[in-house]
Amino acid sequence: MKTEFIVSDMTCNHCVQTITRAVKAIAPTAHVDADLASHRVTIEPAENPAALAAAIVDAGYDVQTA
């Protein structure tokens, strides 16, 4: 299962690293692909999308489902 989010305030590589760390903290085996140009974060596998979104929000970012 794959989940995509739009993180409109993800603007730099530091943001990518912060979001990746937040996701990996609750889903250590997930593959996280964060694309700065489209502001999309794709996570696979994503067994609990709500928890993943909450982790990104807790890291300080706004999240919308893609």
Side-chain angles (χ1 to χ4, degrees):
M1 175 191 215
K2 175 171 72 169
T3 297
E4 288 188 349
F5 298 115
I6 301 295
V7 184
S8 59
D9 51 350
M10 177 178 66
T11 58
C12 65
N13 284 327
H14 177 72
C15 296
V16 169
Q17 292 172 358
T18 301
I19 290 168
T20 300
R21 276 195 304 269
V23 169
K24 293 282 194 173
I26 62 168
T29 61
H31 173 73
V32 181
D33 180 27
D35 181 19
L36 285 173
S38 67
H39 300 281
R40 286 187 181 266
V41 176
T42 305
I43 304 164
E44 188 174 11
E47 297 170 6
N48 189 346
L52 296 171
I56 296 170
V57 169
D58 288 347
Y61 298 90
D62 294 322
V63 176
Q64 297 174 347
T65 304

